Amino acid sequence: CPLIQHLHLLAQRLFSDFESSLQTEEQRQLNKIFLQDFCNSDYIISPIDKHETQRSSVLKLLSISYRLVESWEFPSRSLSGGSAPRIQISPKLSELKTGILLLIKANQDGADLFPDSSALQLAPYGNYYQSLGADESLRRTYELLACFKKDMHKVETYLTVAKCRLSPEANCTL
Amino acid sequence: MFHSPPAKPGLTSCRSPEKETFTCWWKPGSDGGLPTTHALYYRKESSETVYECPDYHTAGENSCFFNKNDTSIWVNYNITVVATNALGRAFSDPVEIDVVYIVKPNPPEKVTVTVMEDKGWPFLRVSWEPPHKADTRSGWITLIYELRVKLEEEIDWEMHLAGQQKMFNIFSLRSGGKYLVEVRCKPDHGFWSEWSSTSYIKVPDYFHREKSTWILITVFSTFTFLILMWLLHMNRHNLKHCILPPVPGPKIKGFDKQLLKNGKSNQIFSALVVPDFPPATSSNYEDFQVEYLEVYVRREQELVLEESKDLHNSCLKSESSTSDCDSGRGSCDSHTLLMAKCREAKEGERQTDRECSPMRTEAQRRLKDWEEEALNYAHAGIVSLEMSSGRVKTWPSVFSPLPRYSSSPLDQQSSLQMAKQLSLSTSSYLTQPGHSTKEALGQSYWDLCLSSKQPHLLNPPTPVCRELQAHSDVNISSIGHKRAPAGPRSPALHTTEYVEVQRVDNKDTLLLQPVVQGCGRMGGCFQMPHGEVYSKVKGVDSDNVLLLQREGMGEDRCPCVEQETNEVTGSCHKSCTVSTTQKPSGCIYTAVPVRDEMATMANGYVDTATMCTLHTC
């Protein structure tokens, strides 16, 4: 399935663009200091090790990825204000989300993995970032960036695993 | 001994080789002199549970190894190391890590380098394996590779990024060189691994293949170079002439010293004369435009040569005698017998001359120009005279072709036109047939005088002629008029006769033609000869006398010739008192003693000054 490869690449590119858009200072702080404990996507249960990931089905991985991307669709606009590439995150996320959705529908065998709860869960956390004051905007930005980076890496990993599982010949060989 | 609690240890690094396990190392501080133990505690994010390091030994001393069960990805670990001794504890600074960001894989394994050949040119093929622990097959970890190559004797490595592929080709090898190859890898977000162990490879020699081509090229180019040098050497003179052309010497002949030494002045002077000038081509004299010459030898032994007007009006040479009016002087001005015969024409001449005098002076001024122009007419038979004073020069007048003279009036008319054309083209004044109206003639006459473009072929007079001129006091004027056979003569016809030198053929025959049927000069001899009277230079006798011979229709002029011949011997002092006056046709003879300079006459220039009077018949 070439779509997943495309999505994987897209996520990969998105993440790398994001990382490259970070300035040196931000990068340093992100790597060392701002390892955020709380991210808005914490409610999304996702495998946190390889074993779990490999145990999960492709569909599950795809849905989780979808949800992760979707959770960032709105807050990604807050990431802007700085280097220009950040502004492009939002449309790329939309594209990624759409692609994942297509993949899900292509691989879906009737099972609906999109409980409505996902949408409901979004709401209480949707205002999470908006509740903070402006004086902590800089710190908030770094926290956002850290969470975003982590989540994007998750998506990329899940997509890669899913891709390799769907088409083992695509760069996943020995 | 001083004992103290242990110093604060410090976590140096934590690394995960495959994103499944990780290890942390710490560095203990001073132990304070007492046996100190260290313990590592960690806490996972959003959890207050403190765990201790599960494995202190696997990774070595002062390390803590987290196995797969204890490792969570995308989870923040808060790790602290505590040093404890009998006197106290020391806590290190906490370190927060996320395993996904501390991945540093092992170096690639099984690096193999082989020499392969591509169309005769060798290249290195490097292949490797990912570290066995890294799970790239399932896509859990994505590795990118990088390799570096260098020659054994070099210092700097040549880096090549290979991406996710596990094979790489290296080209542009030095034949016979020994290469070192190393590979390393990195996860998409992580640290570079260490370089793999060095692989050595030696490239076989393909030196001879390369060199043989160069040897061939070198030999060939050397050969070509030698040939070129040889050619240059052979042609060095030509090259020298080409690159450094010799400065041309003066083309002016000047005086030949040898000739001077020889003592023959004739030769010297002849050497000065430019041969073949004017050129005596064999072209028909129709092409020539010869103007009428009026040769006038002044009393002062000055020859006033004026351009004579061949028309009736042209004969209006003013009779201003020996005044320096260079206007056309009719034969009436001659002090010779002609004078008496030209009374009639004098009037007309005077008139015209007066009118023309202003132009004359101007014409005189133009002599110099005419001289130059004469060169342009070198081809035409020209008779020119140069005054000793160099003032006036005669020039041949262009006239209609000889045959036309004998042609019918119609032809004459056409010839007139032609003559006109010729004259115009050559900017010489054409003598118009006499049958034209007087006015026209007059016009032409004026034109003659006024024309500054009259081509006057001026021939540098030969010294002989000049000499003759000096001696001659004969007013030689020749007016050749071409007149309509039946054209009535106007009283304005000049009385002077002009010899029209048609040409000098290559037989050194000076063909003369009476330009003016100036019979008037002879006193009423206005009848136009039917035929043209041609004077042809018969030759030069032993006495260097130019023998003229009259040809053509008309009266027999032989007597004239003979007489003239008799007359003209030696110098031109004598005038040709050829009693040819009875001849209606213009009989113009010119005889000029020619000496050694006869050769120069071949140019077509006849020093009419040296000619005897021309007689018109």
Side-chain angles (χ1 to χ4, degrees):
Chain A
C1 181
L3 179 58
I4 192 156
Q5 291 179 22
H6 166 74
L7 290 176
H8 165 247
L9 292 171
L10 183 64
Q12 204 174 30
R13 199 180 316 125
L14 191 146
F15 192 82
S16 55
D17 287 347
F18 162 75
E19 262 194 321
S20 60
S21 70
L22 293 176
Q23 294 167 16
T24 314
E25 183 64 22
E26 292 170 335
Q27 250 177 359
R28 187 179 63 80
Q29 289 180 354
L30 275 176
N31 288 335
K32 291 185 181 177
I33 302 173
F34 293 97
L35 285 177
Q36 188 63 15
D37 287 343
F38 299 99
C39 284
N40 62 331
S41 57
D42 289 345
Y43 68 97
I44 302 172
I45 309 300
S46 58
I48 55 171
D49 62 11
K50 178 184 161 188
H51 182 69
E52 283 182 31
T53 307
Q54 287 188 330
R55 206 170 49 190
S56 305
S57 66
V58 171
L59 214 54
K60 183 180 176 186
L61 291 174
L62 288 173
S63 65
I64 292 167
S65 304
Y66 177 80
R67 289 166 71 183
L68 282 170
V69 172
E70 190 190 27
S71 69
W72 275 103
E73 203 172 357
F74 181 73
S76 65
R77 294 164 203 161
S78 313
L79 289 172
S80 64
S83 54
R86 284 188 210 163
I87 305 173
Q88 304 168 0
I89 290 173
S90 187
K92 283 186 182 176
L93 282 174
S94 301
E95 188 183 339
L96 192 60
K97 188 182 80 168
T98 310
I100 296 171
L101 191 59
L102 285 172
L103 261 179
I104 291 168
K105 288 186 177 172
N107 287 281
Q108 208 166 357
D109 290 333
D112 184 15
L113 296 179
F114 285 97
D116 297 333
S117 59
S118 65
L120 293 172
Q121 289 177 4
L122 185 62
Y125 292 93
N127 302 326
Y128 179 75
Y129 294 108
Q130 295 171 355
S131 60
L132 296 178
D135 51 347
E136 287 188 334
S137 61
L138 186 62
R139 180 185 168 84
R140 195 71 205 123
T141 305
Y142 283 131
E143 288 170 358
L144 272 175
L145 287 175
C147 286
F148 181 75
K149 183 180 175 182
K150 188 172 74 173
D151 287 342
M152 283 302 106
H153 194 265
K154 272 187 184 176
V155 170
E156 189 185 342
T157 307
Y158 298 151
L159 285 177
T160 307
V161 171
K163 177 193 82 175
C164 288
R165 214 179 293 177
L166 288 175
S167 54
E169 67 277 2
N171 266 344
C172 300
T173 55
L174 10 79
Chain B
M1 186 152 175
F2 176 68
H3 296 286
S4 68
K8 190 168 69 173
L11 274 167
T12 55
S13 66
C14 295
R15 289 288 181 265
S16 167
E18 74 286 269
K19 211 158 87 174
E20 297 168 33
T21 66
F22 73 102
T23 309
C24 283
W25 292 271
W26 66 84
K27 178 172 174 288
S30 64
D31 57 355
L34 293 170
T36 309
T37 59
H38 293 85
L40 186 144
Y41 300 97
Y42 66 90
R43 196 168 52 82
K44 284 189 178 180
E45 67 174 22
S46 66
S47 168
E48 296 299 328
T49 315
V50 177
Y51 303 92
E52 192 178 351
C53 174
D55 188 343
Y56 286 104
H57 306 288
T58 305
E61 194 173 346
N62 294 331
S63 70
C64 176
F65 176 72
F66 295 81
N67 58 14
K68 291 184 185 180
N69 298 330
D70 300 325
T71 305
S72 298
I73 316 300
W74 298 298
V75 172
N76 290 338
Y77 280 80
N78 194 318
I79 298 171
T80 311
V81 176
V82 178
T84 310
N85 67 0
L87 292 181
R89 285 184 178 194
F91 289 84
S92 67
D93 293 330
V95 169
E96 286 200 8
I97 59 160
D98 191 336
V99 178
V100 73
Y101 299 131
I102 59 166
V103 180
K104 181 181 176 182
N106 293 328
E109 299 166 356
K110 296 181 186 174
V111 179
T112 60
V113 185
T114 55
V115 180
M116 305 190 73
E117 214 170 272
D118 170 41
K119 295 171 190 171
W121 298 100
F123 66 93
L124 292 177
R125 168 159 290 180
V126 188
S127 63
W128 56 88
E129 295 284 325
H132 66 278
K133 285 189 183 173
D135 182 11
T136 55
R137 190 175 307 188
S138 65
W140 177 244
I141 188 168
T142 309
L143 293 176
I144 58 173
Y145 302 94
E146 186 183 53
L147 52 77
R148 64 179 185 181
V149 185
K150 83 175 176 94
L151 279 166
E152 191 177 24
E153 55 269 16
E154 283 179 3
I155 300 172
D156 295 329
W157 289 89
E158 185 181 324
M159 312 298 284
H160 296 282
L161 197 63
Q164 293 185 16
Q165 63 197 38
K166 299 176 186 62
M167 183 254 298
F168 195 79
N169 296 327
I170 298 174
F171 298 92
S172 302
L173 301 174
R174 188 195 299 183
S175 70
K178 189 171 180 185
Y179 284 92
L180 284 68
V181 181
E182 291 178 355
V183 191
R184 69 175 181 181
C185 58
K186 178 177 94 80
D188 44 5
H189 313 285
F191 300 96
W192 280 105
S193 70
E194 297 294 333
W195 288 104
S196 66
S197 57
T198 307
S199 297
Y200 295 90
I201 188 73
K202 186 178 187 303
V203 180
D205 295 330
Y206 58 98
F207 174 77
H208 60 280
R209 282 188 67 188
E210 247 181 11
K211 193 179 182 184
S212 64
T213 311
W214 282 109
I215 289 172
L216 205 67
I217 291 171
T218 305
V219 168
F220 184 73
S221 56
T222 306
F223 202 59
T224 309
F225 181 74
L226 285 174
I227 290 174
L228 283 173
M229 285 293 110
W230 172 252
L231 286 172
L232 281 174
H233 175 74
M234 297 305 287
N235 293 334
R236 62 178 180 273
H237 294 294
N238 292 343
L239 278 176
K240 209 201 293 187
H241 277 279
C242 193
I243 296 168
L244 303 169
V247 177
K251 296 262 164 90
I252 304 168
K253 286 172 71 173
F255 283 101
D256 187 2
K257 291 178 185 170
Q258 280 305 119
L259 287 178
L260 279 174
K261 289 177 188 171
N262 294 339
K264 283 198 170 182
S265 57
N266 292 344
Q267 290 173 351
I268 297 168
F269 292 134
S270 65
L272 291 176
V273 176
V274 177
D276 295 330
F277 181 77
T281 59
S282 60
S283 56
N284 296 332
Y285 70 91
E286 291 86 351
D287 304 331
F288 295 159
Q289 288 187 344
V290 183
E291 293 199 4
Y292 292 100
L293 304 174
E294 180 182 345
V295 179
Y296 172 70
V297 180
R298 308 185 71 180
R299 275 193 216 93
E300 301 77 11
Q301 302 180 358
E302 256 186 19
L303 282 175
V304 177
L305 303 175
E306 303 176 65
E307 181 181 359
S308 67
K309 190 167 255 221
D310 49 8
L311 298 178
H312 308 287
N313 300 335
S314 65
C315 82
L316 306 176
K317 306 279 160 69
S318 80
E319 191 246 314
S320 39
S321 58
T322 57
S323 64
D324 62 348
C325 172
D326 293 336
S327 59
R329 295 175 187 278
S331 59
C332 299
D333 296 333
S334 169
H335 298 279
T336 62
L337 300 171
L338 295 173
M339 196 140 194
K341 299 162 188 174
C342 293
R343 299 293 175 192
E344 285 185 77
K346 262 191 194 176
E347 299 295 329
E349 285 183 354
R350 201 177 294 121
Q351 277 182 350
T352 55
D353 183 60
R354 265 188 244 108
E355 296 165 3
C356 182
S357 50
M359 321 326 167
R360 297 288 184 176
T361 54
E362 187 181 359
Q364 188 178 0
R365 266 182 270 112
R366 297 197 178 94
L367 283 179
K368 291 300 177 185
D369 301 333
W370 295 334
E371 269 183 339
E372 296 162 3
E373 291 173 349
L375 294 174
N376 301 332
Y377 302 90
H379 62 283
I382 302 170
V383 176
S384 68
L385 280 176
E386 190 176 9
M387 282 182 59
S388 56
S389 62
R391 287 191 307 169
V392 179
K393 298 186 192 238
T394 58
W395 46 90
S397 58
V398 178
F399 201 76
S400 58
L402 185 63
R404 296 180 192 273
Y405 281 100
S406 57
S407 59
S408 61
L410 281 178
D411 295 339
Q412 280 184 350
Q413 181 61 41
S414 58
S415 64
L416 168 65
Q417 299 300 330
M418 184 163 195
K420 275 186 184 171
Q421 294 168 0
L422 286 174
S423 67
L424 289 173
S425 63
T426 59
S427 72
S428 68
Y429 186 75
L430 285 175
T431 60
Q432 298 180 3
H435 75 301
S436 51
T437 61
K438 179 184 175 180
E439 290 178 358
L441 291 172
Q443 183 64 34
S444 59
Y445 175 74
W446 292 122
D447 295 341
L448 180 70
C449 298
L450 294 169
S451 168
S452 63
K453 299 193 299 181
Q454 291 173 353
H456 306 295
L457 293 173
L458 299 176
N459 204 19
T462 64
V464 174
C465 290
R466 204 176 292 158
E467 184 179 336
L468 294 170
Q469 290 174 24
H471 290 93
S472 172
D473 56 354
V474 176
N475 182 10
I476 300 173
S477 58
S478 61
I479 300 174
H481 269 296
K482 181 186 171 127
R483 303 172 50 161
R489 294 235 175 229
S490 63
L493 287 175
H494 57 85
T495 57
T496 57
E497 288 186 356
Y498 297 88
V499 173
E500 174 185 349
V501 180
Q502 294 301 317
R503 68 173 183 266
V504 177
D505 59 16
N506 37 13
K507 296 175 194 158
D508 293 343
T509 304
L510 180 67
L511 303 176
L512 300 174
Q513 168 189 343
V515 179
V516 177
Q517 312 296 334
C519 294
R521 186 191 308 244
M522 299 305 163
C525 188
F526 286 91
Q527 298 143 13
M528 288 292 290
H530 278 282
E532 296 302 327
V533 177
Y534 304 97
S535 295
K536 178 177 177 182
V537 175
K538 192 178 179 184
V540 180
D541 65 358
S542 58
D543 291 332
N544 295 330
V545 176
L546 181 68
L547 305 178
L548 299 175
Q549 167 184 332
R550 186 173 54 178
E551 298 180 345
M553 301 65 132
E555 298 73 8
D556 175 26
R557 308 188 195 96
C558 293
C560 299
V561 179
E562 294 165 0
Q563 286 188 2
E564 287 203 351
T565 308
N566 297 334
E567 293 286 344
V568 183
T569 49
S571 63
C572 283
H573 294 284
K574 305 173 191 175
S575 59
C576 299
T577 56
V578 178
S579 59
T580 56
T581 58
Q582 71 280 4
K583 302 248 181 213
S585 59
C587 180
I588 301 168
Y589 305 96
T590 59
V592 53
V594 180
R595 296 184 200 153
D596 294 342
E597 292 75 6
M598 190 51 192
T600 63
M601 295 304 174
N603 298 336
Y605 283 88
V606 176
D607 191 350
T608 55
T610 65
M611 291 180 178
C612 296
T613 57
L614 301 175
H615 299 274
T616 59
C617 300

